[in-house]
Amino acid sequence: MNKQEQIQATALRLFVADGFHGTPTAKIAAEAGVANGTLFYHYKTKEDLVVALYNRIKDEHADNLQAIISRDDFITTKFKNIFIHSVNWALNNRDKFYYIQQFNSSPHLAQVSAETLEQHTIGYAGFIAEGVKKKLLKQQPVGLIIAIFNGHVYGLYQYLTSAKFEPEEQEKIINEAYEMLWDTMKYM
Amino acid sequence: MNKQEQIQATALRLFVADGFHGTPTAKIAAEAGVANGTLFYHYKTKEDLVVALYNRIKDEHADNLQAIISRDDFITTKFKNIFIHSVNWALNNRDKFYYIQQFNSSPHLAQVSAETLEQHTIGYAGFIAEGVKKKLLKQQPVGLIIAIFNGHVYGLYQYLTSAKFEPEEQEKIINEAYEMLWDTMKYM
DNA sequence: ATATTTATAGACTAATTAGTCTATAACCAA
DNA sequence: TTGGTTATAGACTAATTAGTCTATAAATAT
């Protein structure tokens, strides 16, 4: 892990624990085991670091999804796989998932261009449009379907992290939540 | 509007625009038209103000919902009314809705006791449990139903605020999103 | 080998800011 | 009225912190 990655990993941990505000750059540098000057050599400003971290996590998640989308499955199978994968990714990367929410609910979001944000959903849109066209999904705007899909993932995540569940129990809940989502989305 | 309310109203506006971090207490006081000392007289610390504002907004929303829940309607009617009201409240109080997300995605949340948080959903739980028992709603844990409900509201809000919609168009979308939610929630 | 660019270090500073302190003023109770 | 409590004001400070600056070291190119 190079210095840039060390800095980002430490920043993620501290931002999630103490917030953007509660995390001085000096602390990030110290805990990452680099000097203050090194941090500012790689990231022009603190804001730069905050945004770079966001973009890296988003890219990582988008790449995961893209891998699923490109698989040669039925649209309905893709749909399910993406849901299951999204929930599991969130559960297995809580810091990253939390950081995304934190960033999305902060003025930092304005620093990210609309194009960059769109880039991150670009994989989605195509196959959902196809699902709508083929009348596998409800006849609703793609944007609405994606938004409600994400809302469902978010809601389920909140529930699963509100208490401790055994792995099998958790898997069962995820599958049931998927059936509920499918009731929302399926054409008839 | 007394000084406390002035301070909270100004704090809400500034926190939403610039974040907790980006908003000095001195600026809040100045724009609220009160002296620095007055702010700290009413709120022991900045954190105090942040939390008090959160609790007030949550209470306000919970009271709204309680009014709907207490009405002598069928459970299914209540369910719909609560959804429609929640979405409209969010749309008509964007600052407040955004502030709640911002706070929920910040370390400040840890300052709010579990009981206080539960207090805010207490109205919900009863009639949803009833709906489950009477087999009007899916046979799932109340917590899961509430979480997915909130996720649906959140997703729809995201969609509706992602672009400009005419009032009638917006109302139509809300109703269609409600039908989608109902497909998720209804027993059969 | 030498020159140039890139990466790292850490001391330093200028600015910001949460919260304090002291002084009044408004209100209220006896 | 008088005495106490509550509310308001605004100057002040001690601490914090983002970012700079200078000096090297490592890597890369010529």
Side-chain angles (χ1 to χ4, degrees), chain A residues 26-99:
Chain A
K27 193 177 182 189
I28 298 170
E31 296 203 15
V34 305
N36 213 282
T38 306
L39 189 152
F40 282 98
Y41 173 74
H42 290 290
Y43 305 96
K44 235 169 98 67
T45 63
K46 185 181 184 181
E47 172 95 6
D48 244 43
L49 169 59
V50 168
V51 173
L53 181 54
Y54 176 78
N55 283 326
R56 212 212 57 210
I57 295 172
K58 277 280 197 118
D59 282 346
E60 183 188 313
H61 189 212
D63 289 351
N64 285 164
L65 293 187
Q66 196 51 59
I68 295 176
I69 291 169
S70 339
R71 287 207 306 243
D72 193 19
D73 288 323
F74 280 119
I75 289 174
T76 49
T77 308
K78 283 189 213 264
F79 193 83
K80 177 168 185 178
N81 286 343
I82 286 176
F83 177 76
I84 303 286
H85 179 275
S86 293
V87 174
N88 282 317
W89 183 83
L91 291 168
N92 295 328
N93 297 274
R94 295 190 189 195
D95 275 8
K96 291 176 183 174
F97 190 71
Y98 184 87
Y99 185 76

